[in-house]
Structure formats: structure tokens, C-alpha cells
Amino acid sequence: MKVIIVGGVAGGATAAARIRRLDEHAEITVYERSGYISYANCGLPYYIGDVITDPEELTLQTPESFFKRFRINMKIHHEVISIHPESKTVSVKNLENGEIFEENYDKLILSPGAKPTQPRLPGVGIDKLFTLRTVEDTFRIKEYINKNHPKSAVLAGGGFIGLELGYTVEGFKEKDDGVEVLLKDNPSLQADMVVLAIGVTPDTVLAKEAGLELGIRESIVVNDRMETSVPDIYAAGDAVQVKHYVTGNDALISLAGPANKQGRIIADNICGGDSRYLGSQASSVIKVFDMTAATTGINETNAKKSGLEVDTVILSPMSLSLIHI
């Protein structure tokens, strides 16, 4: 059995490792367009903030260590540029030398993840405007900070609405001394750098061009076995549409935990098992300075919108906690 996996990190790397555990003879190749195949996404901001100081602590496995441990071919700087379901082949581009070649598969796993949402606003793409997705993005931000020692920054997060006292961003202008953030009906903001953190969008161009069924925001539609609409093609991670475990509705939930679980389920099913993904509960934790907050399920507002009867309980122990049941 020959398995090709598009994308590493959580879903792809996990699927590859489990397939090897279940089938010692499978030929497994992972194509990853970045230079890193397995890393802790959640740790990237901590490197920028000097909580993690050694860049090697960001990477969990290297192509060499993965092959030594699992006999899995990890091809970094290789991008799958098209999928041909009718012939069960993919076209791959070596980003280091420009070579393009064809590779056949018996089973194909898509784990392309999601890309930072880029609004269609003037100035998007200027050098002093950053997004954070990959290890390379992390090093780029860190290098800029170390070189320029910025004293101010604008973080566009939680959507542009509500960026600054409910103001709306209309665009960006690069200045010699930084970036001008243009606001609707309000004076502009001046900053040394800007970080866009307004959410992510499923990276599904390949799937769309190959004719796979798409769902919310053009995410990949899969069943509970993580099978796409095309035979022998599976998908996992931030690019797929899932069921929300609480509401049962279709949802996009971009978290490493679900991606890892989906990767294992795909491996089970490829190797003859019958594993099912029952949905994502959307559990997450965030730390802002010295405050840590966690959430799981849905909040009261969304529960009521979904037609669920809910009660609200507020507890006041050492710190304030809000629990929705």
C-alpha cells in the first residue's frame, strides 16, 4: 500500500506515524511545503515572547528523526500543486529547484491546515504587517523585533470590528517609521508593526480544483470516517468541516487536538479498521500575561441560538469562573 500525505504537523504527521504502527510494509510519503514537518503551533507565540528561547524546542521531529524512527519519507520544501483522482496521482513541485514530478498513490490524505485570513484592504502585504502560521513566520517576526526593537504594535485580533474600542480598520499605509492603521470615521493609529490575527481560512485550493465536495467557507466535507467525497482520499485538521459535539451542527474548529485524533482515525480506517469521529467539543486554553482562561463546548448565547435550554452558574472561588451547563 502506497500512502501520500499532503501536509505534516498535527493531522498529517500523526496519521503517518500511526499507519506505520499498524502496517510495517506501507510506503508512506509526506509532502510539506514549509521546512518543518512536526512542530507545536501553540508554542510559536511563546518563542516570540522569549518564554521559549531555544528554537529547537519548537520542532518535535525532523525529517531525519522521522525516517529513523518510522521509515517515513518526509519531503520538506515540496508542494503538491494538483491532485488527479481519476489516475490516482498528484503533481509535486520541489520548491528548492523548481522540478515538477508525478507520484501515484493508493490512499491520499489531505492535511493542508488553514491559512491566516487576509482581508481585502489596502496595504495588506506590506513588510511591517505580519501573520503567524508557520515556524518561518515565527522567525520572521522575532528577527524583525530583534533588529528594529519596536516600541509599539497594533494587534488586529478577534475580527476587525472591535479592534480598538469598536473601531473598524479600513487599511494600512507603510511609513518610514512604521505603519499607519487607517480607521473608519476615526483618527488613524501609528505603530512600529502590525500583527494580523483575525482568524483562519481553510486552505483548500487543491481540494476544490480536484472536485472534492466543499462545505462551510469552502472547507472539505468528510464523513465520520474522515473520508472525502472522492474514493481513497481522506482529510483531517483545520481544513475539514466537522460536527460540533454539543449542537450537532456543521462547524469549523481549528485546534490541534481534533486534528491529531482525526489523523489517527484515518490511519485506522486505511489499515482496515472502522474508527469514527464523533465531533469536536472545541476545548481550548489561552494565557494573556498572568491570566489563564479555558473554554469548552459553547457559550450561553450560542446555546440559545441553537435552541438548547441552558442554565448559567457563576462560581466565585479564588478566581472568577463562568460555567455554562
Side-chain angles (χ1 to χ4, degrees):
M1 179 175 64
K2 185 174 183 178
V3 181
I4 288 179
I5 302 175
V6 181
V9 198
T14 298
R18 183 157 180 80
I19 290 171
R20 173 57 70 229
R21 293 189 180 100
L22 297 174
D23 185 344
E24 63 180 277
H25 301 295
E27 181 182 344
I28 309 167
T29 302
V30 179
Y31 291 110
E32 169 59 47
R33 61 188 169 196
S34 77
Y36 300 86
I37 49 90
S38 181
Y39 56 89
N41 301 73
C42 299
L44 302 183
Y46 292 97
Y47 178 73
I48 296 172
D50 285 331
V51 176
I52 297 174
T53 57
D54 184 354
E56 292 188 0
E57 291 185 15
L58 296 175
T59 56
L60 306 177
Q61 294 278 354
T62 65
E64 294 76 19
S65 67
F66 229 98
F67 186 83
K68 182 177 180 181
R69 184 176 179 184
F70 298 110
R71 286 187 298 108
I72 294 172
N73 297 309
M74 290 286 187
K75 300 291 188 180
I76 60 173
H77 299 141
H78 281 69
E79 181 178 9
V80 174
I81 57 176
S82 59
I83 301 169
H84 314 290
E86 66 286 349
S87 60
K88 300 184 75 170
T89 61
V90 295
S91 299
V92 185
K93 182 176 183 179
N94 184 330
L95 299 180
E96 295 180 350
N97 59 24
E99 176 194 2
I100 297 177
F101 58 92
E102 300 285 312
E103 195 71 65
N104 68 294
Y105 65 84
D106 295 311
K107 304 291 182 181
L108 177 65
I109 302 174
L110 303 180
S111 180
K115 55 188 177 183
T117 301
Q118 293 277 13
R120 296 180 179 178
L121 293 176
V124 170
I126 62 178
D127 289 341
K128 297 172 185 176
L129 193 151
F130 301 88
T131 57
L132 179 58
R133 179 191 186 187
T134 65
V135 175
E136 287 91 344
D137 294 335
T138 307
F139 292 158
R140 179 170 169 253
I141 295 174
K142 187 65 171 177
E143 181 181 2
Y144 179 84
I145 292 173
N146 290 340
K147 181 179 179 180
N148 298 280
H149 306 288
K151 297 294 190 295
S152 61
V154 167
L155 174 65
F160 280 118
I161 305 299
L163 166 69
E164 179 76 11
L165 303 174
Y167 295 169
T168 304
V169 170
E170 288 194 323
F172 307 93
K173 285 185 178 180
E174 187 167 17
K175 302 291 185 179
D176 292 338
D177 57 349
V179 181
E180 181 181 1
V181 183
L182 306 178
L183 301 178
K184 183 178 181 180
D185 300 326
N186 286 278
S188 59
L189 298 174
Q190 305 295 322
D192 295 326
M193 62 183 295
V194 174
V195 178
L196 291 182
I198 63 171
V200 293
T201 302
D203 192 354
T204 56
V205 173
L206 274 177
K208 183 177 182 179
E209 292 178 348
L212 275 64
E213 181 183 355
L214 303 181
I216 301 173
R217 296 176 65 188
E218 297 197 333
S219 57
I220 302 172
V221 172
V222 293
N223 60 19
D224 59 1
R225 286 170 50 87
M226 307 309 298
E227 297 168 321
T228 71
S229 60
V230 175
D232 296 320
I233 300 181
Y234 300 74
D238 297 351
V240 305
Q241 174 180 292
V242 298
K243 295 292 183 182
H244 197 292
Y245 192 80
V246 177
T247 66
N249 297 329
D250 294 331
L252 291 178
I253 299 176
S254 302
L255 294 169
N260 282 318
K261 187 173 184 179
Q262 293 160 12
R264 291 193 295 271
I265 288 172
I266 290 174
D268 289 347
N269 293 327
I270 282 179
C271 295
D274 186 25
S275 292
R276 308 276 173 161
Y277 187 71
L278 302 181
S280 297
Q281 190 164 312
S283 301
S284 59
V285 181
I286 187 173
K287 184 175 182 181
V288 181
F289 299 110
D290 293 328
M291 179 179 291
T292 301
T295 180
T296 191
I298 57 175
N299 59 27
E300 180 182 13
T301 299
N302 288 328
K304 289 180 177 178
K305 286 182 179 179
S306 299
L308 300 175
E309 295 185 8
V310 296
D311 288 327
T312 301
V313 179
I314 299 177
L315 304 179
S316 301
M318 297 295 293
S319 61
L320 178 65
S321 299
L322 184 61
I323 302 176
H324 297 292
I325 302 176

